[in-house]
Amino acid sequence: MKIIKSTQKEWMENKGYSKKILLDCESLKTGSLIQEIKIKAGERAGEHYHKKQTEVFYFLNNFGYWIVNGEKHEFEAGDILIIEPNDKHIVVNESDKDYIYLAIKYNYEDGNDSFWI
């Protein structure tokens, strides 16, 4: 058994978003990564895609929206989105609250599979 406390993990700041790596490839003993993602109020994660990895997102609130392959999508808490390789995606938070969700990435190798547009 393992217990992971999100409160004991540090936020890593990036352009337009923050992330906490909850479990990495070494911890999971596989090519997977689990992160908590936060898009701060009024911010966005710019358009990008991945050539190899698939991402599964589990939404904890509904304070933002996504544009996937040019189409806008909104999600409720508890919804799941799967982004497959080459799906271009943007995450936007126009609210005054943080947009928070979990990201489960598989076929994740080294973090060099994000291509920003």
Side-chain angles (χ1 to χ4, degrees), residues 89-106:
H89 50 289
I90 304 167
V91 187
V92 180
N93 181 356
E94 295 176 341
S95 80
D96 60 354
K97 296 182 171 93
D98 292 339
Y99 186 30
I100 300 174
Y101 50 90
L102 292 179
I104 302 156
K105 300 176 176 228
Y106 58 95

Side-chain angles (χ1 to χ4, degrees), residues 4 9-12 19-25 33-36 108:
I4 309 301
K9 301 289 185 172
E10 296 293 323
W11 285 107
M12 299 165 54
K19 67 182 178 182
K20 285 184 192 181
I21 298 176
L22 302 176
L23 291 165
D24 59 16
C25 295
L33 182 74
I34 300 175
Q35 302 173 325
E36 181 178 358
Y108 182 85

Side-chain angles (χ1 to χ4, degrees), residues 1-93:
M1 179 175 90
K2 292 182 183 180
I3 297 174
I4 309 301
K5 300 262 187 188
S6 175
T7 56
Q8 296 174 348
K9 301 289 185 172
E10 296 293 323
W11 285 107
M12 299 165 54
E13 300 297 326
N14 291 300
K15 186 175 180 179
Y17 70 100
S18 307
K19 67 182 178 182
K20 285 184 192 181
I21 298 176
L22 302 176
L23 291 165
D24 59 16
C25 295
E26 186 176 323
S27 300
L28 294 167
K29 298 181 176 129
T30 182
S32 299
L33 182 74
I34 300 175
Q35 302 173 325
E36 181 178 358
I37 306 287
K38 173 172 54 178
I39 309 296
K40 294 178 185 172
E43 295 287 331
R44 72 173 38 217
E47 186 172 22
H48 65 286
Y49 66 96
H50 311 283
K51 290 183 180 178
K52 297 178 184 174
Q53 67 185 286
T54 297
E55 298 175 298
V56 178
F57 298 102
Y58 180 83
F59 298 97
L60 300 173
N61 65 34
N62 62 344
F63 298 124
Y65 64 88
W66 291 63
I67 300 172
V68 181
N69 298 323
E71 187 176 330
K72 182 178 177 180
H73 301 274
E74 296 183 44
F75 302 99
E76 298 293 324
D79 287 352
I80 294 173
L81 168 66
I82 299 172
I83 295 290
E84 296 177 309
N86 299 307
D87 282 341
K88 294 178 183 173
H89 50 289
I90 304 167
V91 187
V92 180
N93 181 356

